[in-house]
Amino acid sequence: MILNLKRDAPRLDCQQGILSVNGVNYFTIERPWLQDLPGKSCVPVGTYALVPHTVVNGPLHGLQTYAFSNAELGVFPEPPADYSGPNPVRVACLIHPANWAFQLEGCIAPGLARGLLVPPGSPALEPAVLSSDDAFREIIGVLGVGASGHSLVIQ
């Protein structure tokens, strides 16, 4: 299955978009484009293989999801043994639940709606996706856990 992400609302603090999965649209949030800086920027536009991935560290430990893979763009599911391409190496860029861009490091969070939420410890509303856990479960339900042959086109 081919998933399509159209980035449609660039901002200084985040990149918003619409992800089409099997005819259903989800809203997305990512880090803004910051010249492909690992951990700071969204991934470059392009076509990525979606590789089954289980998160082994952090608050998402045990989450079964998909990692992006495009060696030409320097994006790998796991650290590469050798890479001499022109782009910085990005590892474990995933689709996973989150509300705000600052919760992501090259990953994409889906949601059922766009909105503004106040992050913990902050006095101000920030752009967010809403019902991210629900959107993520729907997407994984369509893709299946551990299935291969899926791809993501980001434009």
Side-chain angles (χ1 to χ4, degrees):
M1 178 179 304
I2 299 173
L3 286 65
N4 289 289
L5 174 58
K6 180 167 178 38
R7 291 175 171 160
D8 68 342
R11 299 172 44 101
L12 294 177
D13 56 353
C14 69
Q15 172 64 63
Q16 296 174 316
I18 298 175
L19 177 67
S20 178
V21 180
N22 202 28
V24 177
N25 289 334
Y26 298 91
F27 295 95
T28 62
I29 196 159
E30 304 172 74
R31 293 264 178 136
W33 176 251
L34 296 172
Q35 307 308 313
D36 202 18
L37 291 171
K40 305 285 184 200
S41 175
C42 58
V43 295
V45 298
T47 299
Y48 296 85
L50 292 177
V51 177
H53 185 88
T54 302
V55 179
V56 294
N57 294 314
L60 297 175
H61 176 80
L63 181 73
Q64 294 182 329
T65 186
Y66 287 87
F68 315 146
S69 180
N70 182 323
E72 291 178 4
L73 295 175
V75 179
F76 301 92
E78 303 292 336
D82 58 350
Y83 172 73
S84 59
N87 295 352
V89 171
R90 309 284 291 273
V91 177
C93 296
L94 312 172
I95 297 172
H96 70 76
N99 294 111
W100 299 278
F102 68 80
Q103 295 175 303
L104 306 165
E105 294 182 6
C107 301
I108 296 171
L112 298 180
R114 284 182 183 155
L116 297 170
L117 294 173
V118 178
S122 173
L125 290 166
E126 292 188 24
V129 291
L130 311 178
S131 303
S132 186
D133 287 324
D134 294 336
F136 177 77
R137 277 192 297 275
E138 287 181 18
I139 292 167
I140 294 301
V142 171
L143 298 178
V145 174
S148 59
H150 302 302
S151 61
L152 170 66
V153 177
I154 301 175
Q155 42 184 332

